[in-house]
């Protein structure tokens, strides 16, 4: 385990990211809550990597088709989380300022999730007993 | 640098060229172990970015122009066929086509080749169809909004290049491809040199 400081730091950045997302919805000049749909993409994004790590227990195999598929799907989910606010802003469902705030929140949350995988997920002792 | 060698004559440049390309090949072979895994990761991430960006472009165009007159709904077929082709191409691993993998699969080596052939035909076909839709459906009739046509073209172009990233990666690392490339390169240089002589 990499320690409690990393956990606190990652949860702080996660809270900052969610703050950006909620600011994009709840500020007075914006007021619409459509951007909350990107929460679906936040929840979906670690799942392919979890599944591929669960299915293939050997971490020393060089080219793993399952892992590459997981990277492909995760990239798709990340791109979709950035694409949804842009499409919503282009049809004026949300304003461009809200879109900018949501995309900033996206970036922070996805960096947090990546940080989770780098700090806690790597190595041979990735087992489900940790949870 | 090879221009200097040119002045000295054709027979010298072929030695230089083959040595140059041999250096490239040996460099690839040596650091293939470390770099191969990272290259596969980068290729799959880049393929994912391109593929999903293509789909979000068409979603954007469909949301912006929902009427049938601006964006004929049947044009979506092009992107769907391109996605099916992309899935077909990536379902077959390189080992199955070459015949040296452990599992034969349902159809064997010939079946894998036919599957890949059909997949590539659908991919090229949808790319050509997207260009046809752009020019035949939007540019030539001079519709007042051309953006849906451009979106269809870019969607299919992105899906095509995203899908071929995985295959290009394994094709480019095949040693026979390097040989073919070096032969083509030498012939092209000789042809250009003869043109230069004729101009003189």
């Amino acid at each position: 385990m990499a320690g409690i400081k990393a956990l606190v730091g990652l949860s702080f950045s996660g809270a900052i990211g969610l703050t950006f997302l909620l600011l994009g919805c709840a500020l007075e000049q914006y007021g619409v809550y459509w951007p909350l749909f990107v929460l679906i993409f936040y929840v979906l994004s670690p799942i392919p990597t979890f599944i591929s790590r669960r299915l293939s227990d050997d971490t020393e195999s060089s080219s793993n088709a399952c892992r590459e598929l997981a990277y492909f799907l995760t990239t798709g989910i990340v791109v979709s989380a950035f694409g949804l606010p842009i499409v919503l802003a282009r049809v004026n469902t949300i304003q461009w300022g809200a879109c900018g705030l949501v995309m900033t929140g996206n970036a922070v949350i996805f960096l947090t999730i990546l940080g989770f995988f780098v700090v806690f997920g790597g190595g041979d002792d990735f087992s489900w007993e940790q949870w | 640098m090879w221009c200097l060698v040119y002045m000295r004559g054709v027979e010298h440049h072929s030695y230089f060229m083959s040595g140059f390309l041999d250096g490239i090949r040996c460099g690839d072979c040596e650091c293939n172990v470390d770099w191969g895994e990272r290259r596969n990761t980068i290729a799959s991430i880049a393929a994912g970015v391109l593929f999903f960006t293509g789909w979000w472009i068409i979603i954007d165009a469909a949301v912006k122009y929902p009427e049938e007159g601006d964006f004929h709904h049947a044009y979506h077929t092009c992107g769907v066929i391109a996605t099916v082709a992309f899935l077909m191409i990536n379902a077959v691993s390189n080992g199955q086509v070459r015949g040296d993998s452990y599992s034969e699969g349902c159809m064997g080596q010939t079946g894998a080749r036919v599957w890949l052939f059909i997949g590539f035909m659908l991919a090229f076909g949808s790319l050509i169809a997207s260009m046809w839709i752009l020019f035949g459906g939007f540019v030539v009739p001079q519709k007042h909004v051309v953006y849906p046509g451009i979106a269809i073209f870019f969607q299919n172009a992105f899906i095509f290049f995203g899908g071929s990233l995985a295959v290009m990666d394994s094709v480019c690392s095949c040693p026979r491809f390097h040989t073919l490339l070096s032969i083509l390169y030498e012939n092209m240089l000789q042809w250009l040199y003869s043109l230069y002589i004729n101009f003189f």
Side-chain angles (χ1 to χ4, degrees), chain A residues 41 59 61-64 67-69 71-73 75-77 79-81 83-84 86-87 90-92, chain B residues 33 36-37 40-41 44-49 51-53 56 59-61 63-65 86-87 147 162:
Chain A
F41 294 121
T59 52
S61 70
S62 56
S63 71
N64 197 0
R67 208 179 55 183
E68 287 166 29
L69 180 64
Y71 285 155
F72 175 75
L73 291 176
T75 315
I77 293 169
V79 166
S80 300
L84 180 66
I86 293 180
V87 173
R90 272 175 60 88
V91 282
N92 298 321
Chain B
V33 180
E37 173 188 345
N40 273 343
T41 307
S44 59
I45 291 177
V49 168
F51 180 79
F52 283 97
T53 307
W56 275 98
I59 289 174
D60 177 61
V63 170
K64 199 103 169 105
Y65 300 104
F86 171 87
L87 292 173
Y147 177 65

Side-chain angles (χ1 to χ4, degrees), chain B residues 99-121:
Chain B
D100 55 348
S101 69
Y102 292 124
S103 66
E104 268 280 307
C106 336
M107 300 176 290
Q109 187 185 353
T110 312
R113 285 181 174 161
V114 169
W115 182 263
L116 202 61
F117 172 73
I118 295 177
F120 268 111
M121 252 181 27

Side-chain angles (χ1 to χ4, degrees), chain B:
Chain B
M1 253 199 290
W2 48 267
C3 302
L4 289 170
V5 189
Y6 246 155
M7 301 306 170
R8 266 183 264 157
V10 180
E11 66 274 15
H12 283 281
H13 103 279
S14 57
Y15 289 130
F16 183 74
M17 280 308 147
S18 48
F20 176 67
L21 286 172
D22 270 345
I24 290 284
R25 229 179 301 161
C26 280
D28 259 355
C29 287
E30 275 172 13
C31 58
N32 215 7
V33 180
D34 247 358
W35 193 47
E37 173 188 345
R38 193 54 66 89
R39 195 175 58 187
N40 273 343
T41 307
I42 292 177
S44 59
I45 291 177
V49 168
L50 284 174
F51 180 79
F52 283 97
T53 307
W55 270 103
W56 275 98
I57 289 175
I58 203 72
I59 289 174
D60 177 61
V63 170
K64 199 103 169 105
Y65 300 104
E67 296 96 29
E68 183 80 20
D70 285 335
F71 185 5
H72 192 44
H73 292 162
Y75 292 154
H76 283 285
T77 316
C78 204
V80 172
I81 300 280
T83 305
V84 167
F86 171 87
L87 292 173
M88 280 175 77
I89 290 172
N90 284 300
V92 174
S93 69
N94 215 21
Q96 276 173 336
V97 174
R98 268 185 283 142
D100 55 348
S101 69
Y102 292 124
S103 66
E104 268 280 307
C106 336
M107 300 176 290
Q109 187 185 353
T110 312
R113 285 181 174 161
V114 169
W115 182 263
L116 202 61
F117 172 73
I118 295 177
F120 268 111
M121 252 181 27
L122 288 177
F124 282 119
S126 62
L127 187 65
I128 294 170
S130 71
M131 291 185 209
W132 193 342
I133 289 173
L134 169 63
F135 288 108
F138 287 90
V139 172
V140 169
Q142 286 174 350
K143 296 187 105 114
H144 63 284
V145 274
V146 194
Y147 177 65
I150 297 176
I152 293 171
F153 171 67
F154 273 114
Q155 176 207 15
N156 284 283
F158 278 12
I159 293 177
F160 180 76
F161 287 117
S164 56
L165 258 183
V167 184
M168 256 198 269
D169 176 65
S170 52
V171 163
C172 285
S173 60
C174 167
R176 262 185 286 178
F177 186 72
H178 276 293
T179 317
L180 181 67
L181 207 59
S182 61
I183 291 174
L184 278 174
Y185 193 48
E186 285 183 21
N187 287 340
M188 192 179 69
L189 284 176
Q190 285 184 5
W191 177 70
L192 282 175
Y193 182 68
S194 61
L195 269 184
Y196 171 73
I197 292 290
N198 288 338
F199 262 143
F200 223 26

